[in-house]
């Protein structure tokens, strides 16, 4: 089958590690299904893998890709009665748990000590014609989403959903600041928070992306930089926002701490612009801020996300779609960060 994979990791030119070619067709094992992939999106995780920044040892060649939507194509042995029948359109839940650590039996399996995502550890990714996943990870696709839109759910939308509604516990009427307006996570957060009845403020350096954020549901768009916190305070009657969705890091951290209300929450799920800003501890304790880390989301959260997106008619912002011939260009755009919404690869 055709696949996009890393032939090596790290080095000065990470995109040179990417190759498109033939890999063996995977066979579903016990309790697994094989999905004929129709769409995959690119995530920073894929670029980190090419750069050699991996949480688990990886032995190249390794197929990239950690989300997918497609059609169930084969069942392994003992998939059980709940497995979607062959021919079912599905969205892939991309997280795997070890199944034996205490967290796997606790209230939040995302605290599993050895959770992996598709393309981590010894698991092949989804940027291929076929991917094999546990039967329960193939979840029926909402009818309101096409395959490209459905592929956006697995990483970006799930991560945003957990940050907004689980970690920050936002409710209708709350106000949230989303840092950055271009990437998949920020656009997902804007669309989900807006649909949930929150007031959404977006901060971005780019005028074009600020305008695009307003078109997909943001209520206010402000310019990132030294005056951003003041702009947020003006928009919130001097109080600040209830929560900040932070994935930028060093460039925005100071604004995030000054723009959040007393006792408010900053949820962090990334640090694309550097991970060591000044901590500003006195502001944190004096204003009783909550700083929460967040990663991906649980299976029940994924199911609730799909239902919410389907019922509210949310259509994920797709920046561009690429076929096999365009994958390298898509990765260049991912690396440059110069896009609005998700970069999708459609696989025919
Ligand atoms: Zn575990």
């Amino acid at each position: 089958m055709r696949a996009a994979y890393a032939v090596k990791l790290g080095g000065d030119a990470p995109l040179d590690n990417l190759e498109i070619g033939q890999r063996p067709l995977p066979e579903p094992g016990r309790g697994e299904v094989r999905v004929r992939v129709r769409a995959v999106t690119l995530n920073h995780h894929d670029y980190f893998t090419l750069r050699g920044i991996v949480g688990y040892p990886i032995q190249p060649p390794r197929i990239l890709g950690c989300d997918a939507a497609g059609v169930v194509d084969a069942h392994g042995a003992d998939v059980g009665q709940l497995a979607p029948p062959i021919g079912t359109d599905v969205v892939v839940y991309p997280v795997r748990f070890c199944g034996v650590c205490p967290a796997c039996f606790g209230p939040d399996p995302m605290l599993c000590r050895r959770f992996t995502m598709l393309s981590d550890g010894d698991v092949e990714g989804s940027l291929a014609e076929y991917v094999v996943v546990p039967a329960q990870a193939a979840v029926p696709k909402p009818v309101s989403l096409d395959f490209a839109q459905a592929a956006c759910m697995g990483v970006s939308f799930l991560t945003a959903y957990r940050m907004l509604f689980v970690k920050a516990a936002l409710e209708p009427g709350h106000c949230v600041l989303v840092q950055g307006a271009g990437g998949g996570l920020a656009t997902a957060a804007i669309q989900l928070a807006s649909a949930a009845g929150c007031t959404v403020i977006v901060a971005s350096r780019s005028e074009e992306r600020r305008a695009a954020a307003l078109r997909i549901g943001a209520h206010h768009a402000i310019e990132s930089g030294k005056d951003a916190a003041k702009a947020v305070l003006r928009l919130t009657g001097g109080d600040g926002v209830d929560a900040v969705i932070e994935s930028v890091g060093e460039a925005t951290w100071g604004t995030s701490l000054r723009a959040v209300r007393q006792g408010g929450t900053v949820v962090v799920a990334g640090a694309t612009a550097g991970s060591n800003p000044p901590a500003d501890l006195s502001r944190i304790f004096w204003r009783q801020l909550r700083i929460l880390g967040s990663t991906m989301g649980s299976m029940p959260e994924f199911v609730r996300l799909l239902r919410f997106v389907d019922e509210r008619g949310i259509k994920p912002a797709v920046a561009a779609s690429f076929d096999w011939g365009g994958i390298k260009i898509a990765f260049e755009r991912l690396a440059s960060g110069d896009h609005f919404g998700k970069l999708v690869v459609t696989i025919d």
Side-chain angles (χ1 to χ4, degrees), residues 122-293:
D122 56 3
V123 178
E124 292 285 20
S126 53
L127 201 40
E129 288 176 312
Y130 296 88
V131 66
V132 163
V133 296
Q136 65 271 21
V139 181
K141 178 178 80 63
V143 285
S144 62
L145 301 180
D146 62 25
F147 285 108
Q149 293 163 340
C152 302
M153 296 294 120
V155 177
S156 298
F157 270 74
L158 179 59
T159 303
Y161 183 93
R162 183 179 179 87
M163 293 175 85
L164 293 165
F165 305 126
V166 181
K167 294 289 183 171
L170 289 174
E171 293 176 3
H174 278 146
C175 185
V176 60
L177 169 66
V178 178
Q179 291 284 22
L185 175 62
T187 50
I190 294 165
Q191 293 189 284
L192 290 171
S194 175
C198 298
T199 301
V200 181
I201 303 172
V202 166
S204 169
R205 281 170 304 175
S206 153
E207 191 178 347
E208 198 182 329
R209 272 175 269 168
R210 290 199 297 273
L214 293 171
R215 284 196 295 275
I216 63 164
H219 301 88
H220 308 281
I222 60 172
E223 189 173 358
S224 304
K226 64 176 175 48
D227 294 328
K230 279 184 201 147
V232 171
L233 293 175
R234 266 199 305 278
L235 289 168
T236 54
D239 288 338
V241 292
D242 297 289
V244 181
I245 296 303
E246 171 65 80
S247 62
V248 180
E250 284 178 19
T252 54
W253 188 247
T255 298
S256 294
L257 293 186
R258 288 194 298 277
V260 70
R261 71 163 165 80
Q262 197 145 349
T265 308
V266 181
V267 190
V268 189
T272 49
S275 60
N276 285 302
D280 202 354
L281 294 177
S282 44
R283 184 177 296 273
I284 291 172
F285 74 73
W286 190 245
R287 294 181 59 79
Q288 304 192 61
L289 305 183
R290 303 194 315 146
I291 313 293
L292 301 178

Side-chain angles (χ1 to χ4, degrees), residues 97-105 109 111-115:
F97 304 99
C98 80
V100 294
C101 77
C104 277
F105 297 95
L111 300 177
C112 170
R113 287 175 59 183
R114 289 183 295 272
F115 88 87

Side-chain angles (χ1 to χ4, degrees), residues 62 81 278 327:
R62 164 52 47 82
Q81 290 176 344
I327 287 180

Side-chain angles (χ1 to χ4, degrees), residues 260-344:
V260 70
R261 71 163 165 80
Q262 197 145 349
T265 308
V266 181
V267 190
V268 189
T272 49
S275 60
N276 285 302
D280 202 354
L281 294 177
S282 44
R283 184 177 296 273
I284 291 172
F285 74 73
W286 190 245
R287 294 181 59 79
Q288 304 192 61
L289 305 183
R290 303 194 315 146
I291 313 293
L292 301 178
S294 192
T295 293
M296 296 297 292
S298 69
M299 175 64 99
E301 288 156 18
F302 188 59
V303 171
R304 291 206 299 273
L305 161 71
L306 296 182
R307 200 184 301 146
F308 182 70
V309 166
D310 196 30
E311 281 175 359
R312 300 297 164 106
I314 297 170
K315 306 293 181 200
V318 171
S321 289
F322 301 86
D323 56 15
W324 286 111
I327 287 180
K328 291 222 173 190
I329 298 165
F331 267 96
E332 281 163 15
R333 287 190 64 182
L334 178 75
S336 73
D338 184 26
H339 56 278
F340 185 86
K342 293 295 289 176
L343 299 164
V344 176

